Amino acid sequence: RAARPAAPVAALNADLPALRPAELARVLAAATGFPRAFLPDAAGVGTTFLSAASGTELRPEFGTASRARHAASGAAEIVAADVGSVRQDVDTGDDLRAALGLGVGPHTARAAAGLLIPDRRSRPGAPGPSGRHRAEYAACMQATAYTYDPDSRSGSVLLDDGTPVEFDTAAFDAGGLRLLRPGQRVRIETEGEGDARRITLVTLQTL
């Protein structure tokens, strides 16, 4: 405001790992025309976005039950379709699962690997992955999408011990998917043994 006194201002939560630019643009457009406007979080209790038009103070009331406080302060509640990534903040494990279902960035995907489902390293005396990062995993298991190339329809997943494993076009097509976002939880199926084992199917995991 000091640098651009005539400009509107907005505050956005930092813990929105699934945030999509197009969805944020819809929220910003919906806020236009209101002196102050806010977007409730996915739980319907808190707030993830608050804006103020030119000449209006932001007057933030973030914190527990901030949705009710922002409404009581006169801010308009934003109603916009397909903006789930702007509402999905992360306070609990269930919130993280929901964000992973929407799709997150590669750094969040790697950090989240192993947090939701205890891996073998969490058991006393159990060995971690070998230095060669050999993928020793079950024929059917959960993983986290890590990379995806829409042109080749191939990419890689992170096992829950953090080991990256590649999948090819055939495995992606076998799952019936049209798109895969890094960070989404997926179910994979495999065939073969040891170093010859490969992913044969990648599909979304029902959370």
Side-chain angles (χ1 to χ4, degrees):
R1 271 287 166 78
R4 293 183 291 174
V9 295
L12 186 70
N13 276 15
D15 59 336
L16 299 172
L19 184 65
R20 304 288 168 191
E23 296 184 19
L24 178 57
R26 285 195 283 272
V27 171
L28 289 167
T32 302
F34 295 106
R36 293 172 63 243
F38 72 96
L39 185 72
D41 63 8
V45 177
T47 304
T48 59
F49 171 94
L50 176 69
S51 66
S54 175
T56 304
E57 293 298 323
L58 189 64
R59 293 168 54 198
E61 294 283 353
F62 288 100
T64 304
S66 62
R67 179 185 188 179
R69 288 198 302 277
H70 283 133
S73 73
E77 182 169 323
I78 294 172
V79 178
D82 300 322
V83 294
S85 75
V86 194
R87 298 184 63 191
Q88 189 57 67
D89 57 353
V90 175
D91 297 314
T92 68
D94 286 342
D95 292 340
L96 179 57
R97 290 184 180 90
L100 291 171
L102 292 172
V104 299
H107 295 294
T108 301
R110 180 172 286 280
L115 292 179
L116 301 180
I117 300 176
D119 61 41
R120 59 182 175 177
R121 291 174 298 177
S122 67
R123 298 195 300 270
S130 69
R132 297 172 58 194
H133 299 287
R134 179 176 298 175
E136 300 291 346
Y137 45 93
C140 179
M141 66 176 294
Q142 295 183 35
T144 302
Y146 186 46
T147 62
Y148 175 67
D149 179 4
D151 294 327
S152 65
R153 303 193 307 284
S154 62
S156 63
V157 301
L158 289 176
L159 304 185
D160 286 326
D161 65 3
T163 303
V165 183
E166 295 181 353
F167 62 86
D168 58 19
T169 305
F172 179 81
D173 290 346
L177 301 178
R178 298 181 61 184
L179 177 67
L180 187 63
R181 289 175 172 172
Q184 286 182 305
R185 288 294 283 177
V186 296
R187 178 172 62 84
I188 62 173
E189 294 183 3
T190 69
E191 67 178 15
E193 298 293 336
D195 291 335
R197 182 169 289 177
R198 65 184 186 88
I199 296 176
T200 58
L201 179 144
V202 178
T203 191
L204 291 184
Q205 174 67 38
T206 301
L207 298 175

